[in-house]
């Protein structure tokens, strides 16, 4: 197994900052905006992006976390307890879904389904740290930290504290 470092901590911080500024610019500020991270690493990235936006805009941005397990089409989830934490209404809000990696688009589709069960936002946008291509569904991220073309036999691993011991992005390739 060969592991290649793609983003170290400083590069991840720059990508998060860039995403935050792009969200502010695209939405003309942070009014009526909330960020919802897809569990697990998307949750922490959403907090980091929201912190950057709050620093620029001068007021906090609501954040939450979304458990998409019950909405996935590739796994059985009988009896799964929803671990989502969204303590504010999403009706009429600009929601930015945040995930660590977009690959096939299936997680995002599940997230949209899960989100729509909670209300009807004004709009839903998508921010991802890494876009690795290979879509199976017609879904594209609005805000991307790093476009990273990969092959299907590679894996992109995003490590985010406190979930992991350090902040980094690596590609893992199985060696023959």
């Amino acid at each position: 197994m060969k592991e290649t470092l793609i983003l170290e901590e400083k590069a991840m911080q720059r990508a998060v900052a860039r995403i935050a500024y792009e969200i502010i610019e695209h939405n003309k500020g942070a009014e009526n905006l909330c960020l919802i991270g897809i569990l697990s690493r998307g949750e922490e990235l959403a907090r980091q992006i929201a912190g950057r936006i709050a620093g620029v805009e001068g007021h906090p941005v609501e954040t939450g976390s979304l458990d998409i397990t019950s909405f996935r089409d590739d796994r059985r989830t009988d009896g799964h307890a929803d671990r989502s934490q969204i303590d504010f209404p999403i009706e009429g809000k600009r929601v930015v879904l945040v995930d660590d990696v977009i690959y096939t688009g299936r997680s995002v589709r599940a997230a949209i389904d899960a989100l729509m069960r909670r209300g009807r936002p004004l709009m839903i946008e998508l921010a991802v740290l890494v876009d690795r291509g290979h879509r199976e569904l017609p879904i594209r991220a609005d805000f991307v930290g790093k476009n990273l073309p990969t092959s299907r036999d590679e894996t992109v691993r995003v490590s985010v504290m406190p979930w992991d011991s350090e902040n980094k992005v690596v590609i893992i390739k199985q060696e023959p």
Side-chain angles (χ1 to χ4, degrees):
M1 177 167 54
K2 181 183 175 193
E3 187 173 292
T4 305
L5 181 66
I6 301 302
L7 296 174
E8 39 74 37
E9 183 162 2
K10 289 280 189 196
M12 280 181 67
Q13 290 173 2
R14 287 190 299 272
V16 165
R18 187 172 51 257
I19 291 168
Y21 280 106
E22 288 177 4
I23 290 170
I24 293 167
E25 185 175 323
H26 184 263
N27 287 286
K28 298 175 178 55
E31 187 176 330
N32 204 31
L33 183 73
C34 64
L35 276 69
I36 298 177
I38 299 173
L39 286 175
S40 60
R41 283 153 186 83
E43 174 185 21
E44 181 57 32
L45 290 169
R47 282 192 194 117
Q48 291 177 19
I49 295 166
R52 293 282 188 150
I53 292 171
V56 171
E57 293 294 298
H59 59 83
V61 176
E62 293 176 306
T63 61
S65 61
L66 188 63
D67 183 353
I68 62 168
T69 306
S70 296
F71 294 88
R72 296 196 54 110
D73 62 5
D74 57 351
R75 297 183 193 145
R76 289 195 52 123
T77 58
D78 300 337
H80 175 77
D82 184 7
R83 298 176 298 139
S84 299
Q85 291 187 332
I86 303 173
D87 302 328
F88 51 88
I90 63 167
E91 289 286 331
K93 289 202 173 168
R94 295 168 196 235
V95 174
V96 178
L97 279 173
V98 180
D99 205 0
D100 56 349
V101 178
I102 185 168
Y103 179 38
T104 63
R106 293 189 178 281
S107 293
V108 175
R109 188 222 32 96
I112 291 169
D113 288 349
L115 196 59
M116 295 303 283
R117 287 261 176 107
R118 297 175 178 280
R120 185 180 171 107
L122 177 66
M123 69 183 327
I124 300 173
E125 296 172 317
L126 176 62
V128 297
L129 184 63
V130 176
D131 183 342
R132 64 171 290 193
H134 303 285
R135 286 312 170 275
E136 294 175 5
L137 299 172
I139 292 173
R140 128 188 116 66
D142 300 285
F143 312 104
V144 178
K146 175 94 174 152
N147 284 297
L148 186 61
T150 61
S151 65
R152 290 191 182 270
D153 66 339
E154 294 174 314
T155 302
V156 175
R157 181 181 304 144
V158 175
S159 299
V160 179
M161 293 187 302
W163 294 97
D164 305 291
S165 61
E166 61 185 323
N167 292 322
K168 68 179 182 178
V169 177
V170 297
I171 291 181
I172 301 167
K173 182 160 177 94
Q174 300 297 327
E175 295 189 41

